[in-house]
Amino acid sequence: GQNIDQPTEMTATEGAIVQINCTYQTSGFNGLFWYQQHAGEAPTFLSYNVLDGLEEKGRFSSFLSRSKGYSYLLLKELQMKDSASYLCAAPDRGSTLGRLYFGRGTQLTVWP
Amino acid sequence: EADIYQTPRYLVIGTGKKITLECSQTMGHDKMYWYQQDPGMELHLIHYSYGVNSTEKGDLSSESTVSRIRTEHFPLTLESARPSHTSQYLCASSLGEQYFGPGTRLTVT
């Protein structure tokens, strides 16, 4: 696998900013994905980073540092509907975006 | 919006029965995947396929089989259902990022 590690749980309040971290094995790196999964639903794609730096998509941004084997998902202006599990995933080492290795997910709870 | 479908959405079945979970996608993706996920737990890859007549076992493939005769169709079969198979089964397809179907929630009594 890719030894993906992310925190199990996080909490934050509405309107706040939260950063969800993910570390992964760097050898044969081929990009990093973030998915959102609401309880009882299927995961939905949020972002894909293959180059270093920050990519912004509205309230959500994703950052990657390939040399450090580190990524984070930044959620701004939190809303109650952002309460979900956030999954970090990396493709198989050296593959052409085939199977993904998923982390265990970070369960985010947003309080009013 | 991704066009990937799974049937049935919910299934309750007795121990020992043979069942097939259906998955179809209309996006022409070569790569398809089956995952198993218990509530609040991580995704486990069961099987995957990189194209017609290509299938590979994942990390949790015991007691199930798949076939890929057509690009759009990737059914999963449990030859003899057991209570330990009670779980949610998610199908996905990809060109780059993976698109997931709505899932089949299976209960084996």
Side-chain angles (χ1 to χ4, degrees), chain B:
Chain B
E1 192 75 19
D3 295 321
I4 180 164
Y5 309 97
Q6 290 185 242
T7 57
R9 293 292 310 280
Y10 302 91
L11 179 62
V12 180
I13 201 161
T15 297
K17 299 291 185 185
K18 177 179 178 179
I19 56 173
T20 296
L21 307 184
E22 302 288 348
C23 176
S24 295
Q25 49 98 3
T26 58
M27 297 171 283
H29 291 166
D30 284 329
K31 297 167 188 166
M32 295 189 74
Y33 311 83
W34 275 104
Y35 294 90
Q36 183 178 341
Q37 187 181 36
D38 293 324
M41 303 298 284
E42 63 194 290
L43 288 161
H44 292 284
L45 183 66
I46 311 172
H47 294 277
Y48 57 107
S49 167
Y50 287 165
V52 170
N53 295 325
S54 147
T55 60
E56 301 285 343
K57 289 179 185 274
D59 306 319
L60 196 71
S61 57
S62 63
E63 304 162 5
S64 64
T65 58
V66 290
S67 63
R68 190 86 184 277
I69 299 171
R70 303 197 317 264
T71 298
E72 62 271 22
H73 194 216
F74 190 41
L76 174 77
T77 298
L78 291 172
E79 292 293 331
S80 180
R82 297 213 301 249
S84 60
H85 293 138
T86 294
S87 189
Q88 182 175 40
Y89 292 83
L90 291 162
C91 179
S93 72
S94 78
L95 200 56
E97 66 268 24
Q98 290 189 13
Y99 293 96
F100 285 82
T104 294
R105 191 167 297 280
L106 174 66
T107 301
V108 184
T109 60

Side-chain angles (χ1 to χ4, degrees), chain A residues 12-76:
Chain A
T13 53
E14 236 178 340
I17 299 173
V18 72
Q19 178 175 313
I20 302 174
N21 297 324
C22 171
T23 58
Y24 60 89
Q25 188 170 328
T26 58
S27 62
F29 176 74
N30 205 17
L32 196 106
F33 293 85
W34 282 97
Y35 285 80
Q36 180 191 57
Q37 186 176 25
H38 285 100
E41 297 182 10
T44 55
F45 169 75
L46 287 178
S47 67
Y48 173 59
N49 293 67
V50 66
L51 299 175
D52 290 350
L54 186 69
E55 293 206 7
E56 298 187 63
K57 277 186 185 180
R59 295 190 298 113
F60 291 9
S61 303
S62 55
F63 171 83
L64 179 69
S65 169
R66 288 175 294 172
S67 61
K68 295 180 180 176
Y70 167 68
S71 173
Y72 67 72
L73 183 69
L74 191 71
L75 291 75
K76 302 176 188 175

